[in-house]
Amino acid sequence: METVISQSKRKMWVIINYVALVLLLVSFYTADRMGLTALTISGGVIAILAIIVSFIQVYARTGLWRFVHTKAEKLDEREMLVTYESLRHAYGLFAVICLLIFLLAELITKEFGGGYKLALMPVIVALIYLAHVLPASVIAWTEREIYRG
């Protein structure tokens, strides 16, 4: 079998995916505060394109998206262990990220918002996306080789 993509390249694409997700949120909130400008629109478009390209590279091309969303009865013992470990690490990290985001949102609203109410819907959408890609990201980050199945 042929290795789909090296571990270092997978790590790079995972980082690009998450940086682009943050850039998309920053673009949205900047546009919300300052209005639609060429900078906020281009930042958002670049972020969306980077998310799409990095998603294809690290989750679709490697088959990790399909792998972490496969029913348990279709996996062998090793695959079950890899999936379990990725879910365990991903959702522990996800819980911490959620708590930090909501704490930060509350601090921003109270301390720096000047009466500005922070809309959390974009963050919630980003968290839903994050919940789906984190397990695959853990596998992309930790497994030495991923083979085309």
Side-chain angles (χ1 to χ4, degrees):
M1 289 190 133
E2 166 191 351
T3 302
V4 176
I5 187 171
S6 71
Q7 187 178 22
S8 61
K9 285 186 180 178
R10 288 192 315 265
K11 287 180 180 183
M12 177 194 69
W13 284 114
V14 167
I15 291 169
I16 290 170
N17 191 266
Y18 292 144
V19 168
L21 186 61
V22 171
L23 175 63
L24 183 61
L25 287 172
V26 167
S27 296
F28 175 83
Y29 286 114
T30 303
D32 188 44
R33 269 309 268 246
M34 299 178 182
L36 289 176
T37 64
L39 183 63
T40 59
I41 292 170
S42 61
V45 169
I46 290 169
I48 290 170
L49 290 174
I51 289 169
I52 291 169
V53 170
S54 60
F55 181 90
I56 290 168
Q57 289 296 316
V58 77
Y59 305 117
R61 185 173 169 223
T62 61
L64 287 173
W65 177 266
R66 187 174 14 110
F67 177 66
V68 297
H69 289 87
T70 300
K71 291 183 179 184
E73 51 270 2
K74 293 184 178 182
L75 301 173
D76 65 26
E77 287 181 24
R78 182 191 173 282
E79 291 170 334
M80 292 259 304
L81 182 62
V82 167
T83 304
Y84 168 77
E85 285 298 314
S86 72
L87 289 169
R88 188 174 69 82
H89 291 294
Y91 290 123
L93 182 61
F94 183 75
V96 171
I97 290 169
C98 285
L99 292 173
L100 287 174
I101 286 173
F102 292 121
L103 176 65
L104 184 64
E106 189 64 26
L107 288 174
I108 287 171
T109 301
K110 287 194 180 207
E111 299 298 323
F112 307 110
Y116 176 73
K117 193 71 176 155
L118 190 65
L120 288 180
M121 189 54 68
V123 172
I124 292 168
V125 170
L127 288 173
I128 291 168
Y129 173 77
L130 191 63
H132 281 281
V133 298
L134 260 176
S137 297
V138 169
I139 295 171
W141 200 270
T142 58
E143 290 296 307
R144 291 196 188 279
E145 295 178 348
I146 296 175
Y147 295 102
R148 191 173 311 224

